[in-house]
Amino acid sequence: DGGITQSPKYLFRKEGQNVTLSCEQNLNHDAMYWYRQDPGQGLRLIYYSQIVNDFQKGDIAEGYSVSREKKESFPLTVTSAQKNPTAFYLCASSIVNEAFFGQGTRLTVV
Amino acid sequence: AQKVTQAQTEISVVEKEDVTLDCVYETRDTTYYLFWYKQPPSGELVFLIRRNSFDEQNEISGRYSWNFQKSTSSFNFTITASQVVDSAVYFCALRAVGGGSNYKLTFGKGTLLTVNP
């Protein structure tokens, strides 16, 4: 089935450690996105990528990094520089008139 | 720059009431798409509808209807005869095409709808 897969669903990290969240899509979409959602809050854009080997910072990119080496994959690394990383992370992929989301990864820093 | 405003943070209604969720957007691009998504407590975003900037025809799907008005930059969503299962967070989103927008997909802050039995 076509879709977007985020893994893992739940992730625990010790303070000071980097962690990478996976996002894979088989929809052949050019654009991919990472959003952060805090409890009771909306979706804030972290990074987005329009094509392979290209990406742009969103509204809250500090403390995060991404890569786009393949069309299907857009991993997000939450670095130790991110001051408050505990949140729900959503990945999306899109063509011009469609945008679909993965099921999200809930990251907790312990 | 583009922006989506959902002024209603929370709405609470009693089952069978009609409810309208407001969405106002800003963009300099002439070509853009507007979306509505539903986020139930499980967290995933469920796609509800998209409209492009050249199609102002309103749409009805069952109990759901959407009113797109370019003159007021609004894309409002109405649920008729609300049900408890409609309880969720609803997001409005904008994706402009061309210019400097680079396919950026921008969301409003969402409206939490609670439908009480």
Side-chain angles (χ1 to χ4, degrees):
Chain A
D1 283 351
I4 303 174
T5 302
Q6 286 187 246
S7 61
K9 191 171 182 179
Y10 298 95
L11 188 57
F12 296 87
R13 187 197 94 175
K14 289 185 179 179
E15 252 187 87
Q17 289 181 340
N18 292 355
V19 63
T20 297
L21 281 59
S22 170
C23 179
E24 304 277 333
Q25 55 103 356
N26 60 6
L27 300 166
N28 201 34
H29 286 173
D30 288 316
M32 296 187 74
Y33 308 81
W34 274 105
Y35 293 88
R36 169 180 172 141
Q37 187 177 27
D38 294 285
Q41 302 295 313
L43 301 177
R44 293 187 289 169
L45 182 63
I46 304 172
Y47 269 98
Y48 63 109
S49 167
Q50 188 176 345
I51 56 173
V52 174
N53 293 322
D54 183 57
F55 47 83
Q56 285 82 40
K57 293 182 179 180
D59 303 314
I60 56 165
E62 187 175 346
Y64 299 97
S65 66
V66 293
S67 63
R68 187 85 188 276
E69 296 176 2
K70 299 186 299 182
K71 189 175 187 177
E72 302 79 22
S73 178
F74 191 42
L76 173 74
T77 296
V78 185
T79 75
S80 56
Q82 169 51 233
K83 300 299 180 194
N84 187 19
T86 294
F88 185 55
Y89 292 87
L90 280 161
C91 177
S93 72
S94 169
I95 53 175
V96 172
N97 62 354
E98 286 184 338
F100 294 98
F101 284 78
Q103 294 204 323
T105 292
R106 200 167 295 277
L107 173 64
T108 303
V109 174
V110 296
Chain B
Q2 56 188 49
K3 184 179 178 182
V4 176
T5 302
Q6 294 180 254
Q8 304 148 308
T9 306
E10 295 187 38
I11 300 176
S12 182
V13 299
V14 176
E15 211 170 13
K16 297 183 183 175
E17 281 186 36
D18 299 346
V19 58
T20 295
L21 309 182
D22 297 332
C23 173
V24 174
Y25 62 93
E26 295 175 30
T27 179
R28 293 190 196 128
D29 292 292
T30 56
T31 303
Y32 52 87
Y33 288 84
L34 294 162
F35 304 84
W36 274 97
Y37 288 87
K38 174 181 180 179
Q39 186 180 42
S42 55
E44 80 274 16
L45 262 72
V46 178
F47 167 79
L48 296 177
I49 191 172
R50 68 170 173 268
R51 304 301 287 175
N52 72 57
S53 51
F54 300 108
D55 182 3
E56 285 193 72
Q57 198 170 23
N58 293 328
E59 183 158 337
I60 298 174
S61 176
R63 296 183 297 107
Y64 296 170
S65 62
W66 291 269
N67 183 0
F68 176 29
Q69 292 194 341
K70 285 179 76 170
S71 61
T72 55
S73 297
S74 65
F75 186 42
N76 297 338
F77 172 31
T78 297
I79 302 175
T80 303
S82 60
Q83 299 176 2
V84 172
V85 294
D86 295 327
S87 297
V89 180
Y90 291 86
F91 290 98
C92 180
L94 165 70
R95 183 183 185 184
V97 178
S101 302
N102 286 335
Y103 288 64
K104 187 177 181 182
L105 182 58
T106 301
F107 281 79
K109 292 190 175 181
T111 298
L112 172 62
L113 173 65
T114 303
V115 181
N116 299 297

